[in-house]
Amino acid sequence: MNYEEILKINPVLLALFGTLFTWGVTALGASLVFFFKNINRKFFNLMLGFAAGVMIAASFWSLLAPAIEMTEEKGGIGWIPAVVGFLAGGAFLFVLDKILPHLHLGEKTENAEGIKTSWHRSVLLVLAITLHNIPEGLAIGVAFGVLAQDPSIGVLTSAIALTIGIGIQNFPEGAAVSVPLRREGFTRWKAFKYGQLSGMVEPVAGVLGALLVLYATPILPYALAFAAGAMIFVVVEELIPESHNGNETDYSSIGVMIGFAIMMFLDVSLG
């Protein structure tokens, strides 16, 4: 199937296909639990840093830059939707972080964040990673939703590049959930099940993001920036701090650089 044929597909369906792919890569990463019971701390920090680097690069190259360019092409002031949407996305994740019950790996159950509940520890652990995946799915959905306004090969390849980049970083993210769960005493199958479950939210968020911009075209630049703000909040609030646990923080920095470089390469070369 060539690009012209893909452009004929409904953008919502493309967003669904893209996020199903990233969910599948999450499951593939989670399957490492069948082969390993532990993850080396250096490698774990490297993986988290890599995910952060991909998300930082995607936030600019795939989301903020197109939002600014789109606004300026219509004679508007480019920075307004970029700034407003970016801050709104961060505020949305901030509120969600305070409301959604979740627990970070290695923490005691009583240290769970969000509204206090009696939910099982495993559910709280999965919800912590689910928070990461909401903005990722939203970003993919919005990126494909742009096709409703600009059905060009450039927009399509940019959305595909974003999907590939997020998919790549979802592989270590899936392992970062399942393997620690195995270490906490879960069976391999149960650890895998919860690990891949964390990626299930991406198709939901992707379809919602595509539908949003499909039926509310004027807010498209704001939606792109919103997704960027949500991803950067996750990077700063969750990924970077978690990747600096222990003494091997250099690996986190290396991961960020590699992840950023790969995502930038994908977006520039494909988009």
Side-chain angles (χ1 to χ4, degrees):
M1 182 178 289
N2 56 38
Y3 285 136
E4 285 75 15
E5 293 174 326
I6 296 175
L7 285 171
K8 296 177 182 178
I9 301 175
N10 187 292
V12 178
L13 277 178
L14 290 176
L16 176 61
F17 295 152
T19 47
L20 285 174
F21 163 75
T22 58
W23 178 19
V25 179
T26 303
L28 190 62
S31 70
L32 290 182
V33 74
F34 293 111
F35 308 98
F36 304 99
K37 187 175 181 179
N38 293 293
I39 295 182
N40 180 275
R41 186 70 233 186
K42 295 177 182 179
F43 184 61
F44 189 69
N45 289 349
L46 183 72
M47 290 193 300
L48 291 174
F50 179 85
V54 169
M55 293 174 73
I56 293 170
S59 295
F60 176 74
W61 296 102
S62 299
L63 300 169
L64 286 173
I68 295 170
E69 182 180 344
M70 196 176 298
T71 303
E72 291 178 343
E73 286 178 352
K74 294 182 178 180
I77 302 174
W79 63 265
I80 293 179
V83 171
V84 173
F86 183 82
L87 293 177
F92 171 73
L93 257 293
F94 175 81
V95 173
L96 199 60
D97 185 64
K98 298 301 179 185
I99 294 176
L100 184 68
H102 61 285
L103 178 68
H104 296 291
L105 293 168
E107 293 287 342
K108 297 180 179 178
T109 305
E110 54 266 27
N111 293 333
E113 300 179 18
I115 297 174
K116 299 301 179 183
T117 71
S118 58
W119 292 353
H120 195 275
R121 176 179 176 83
S122 58
V123 175
L124 295 172
L125 287 167
V126 171
L127 286 177
I129 304 299
T130 300
L131 270 175
H132 299 184
N133 292 333
I134 290 175
E136 294 170 10
L138 183 64
I140 293 173
V142 172
F144 279 109
V146 177
L147 289 169
Q149 180 177 319
D150 181 12
S152 65
I153 293 178
V155 171
L156 176 61
T157 53
S158 179
I160 291 174
L162 176 63
T163 302
I164 293 173
I166 288 179
I168 291 172
Q169 66 95 35
N170 272 6
F171 181 83
E173 201 168 75
V177 181
S178 63
V179 176
L181 287 178
R182 170 63 177 160
R183 193 168 59 244
E184 291 200 11
F186 286 66
T187 64
R188 294 185 188 276
W189 173 249
K190 192 172 183 180
F192 166 75
K193 182 176 70 173
Y194 282 117
Q196 63 81 31
L197 191 64
S198 65
M200 188 180 292
V201 71
E202 290 194 11
V204 177
V207 169
L208 290 176
L211 286 172
L212 176 66
V213 299
L214 199 63
Y215 294 104
T217 303
I219 70 166
L220 182 52
Y222 292 90
L224 287 166
F226 181 94
M231 289 211 294
I232 292 298
F233 182 89
V234 167
V235 169
V236 177
E237 174 73 11
E238 307 286 349
L239 295 181
I240 296 298
E242 287 181 20
S243 71
H244 279 72
N245 284 331
N247 299 319
E248 305 296 343
T249 57
D250 287 346
Y251 289 85
S252 169
S253 302
I254 293 171
V256 170
M257 298 297 290
I258 295 173
F260 188 98
I262 289 177
M263 186 64 229
M264 180 170 59
F265 163 75
L266 287 172
D267 206 296
V268 174
S269 62
L270 296 180

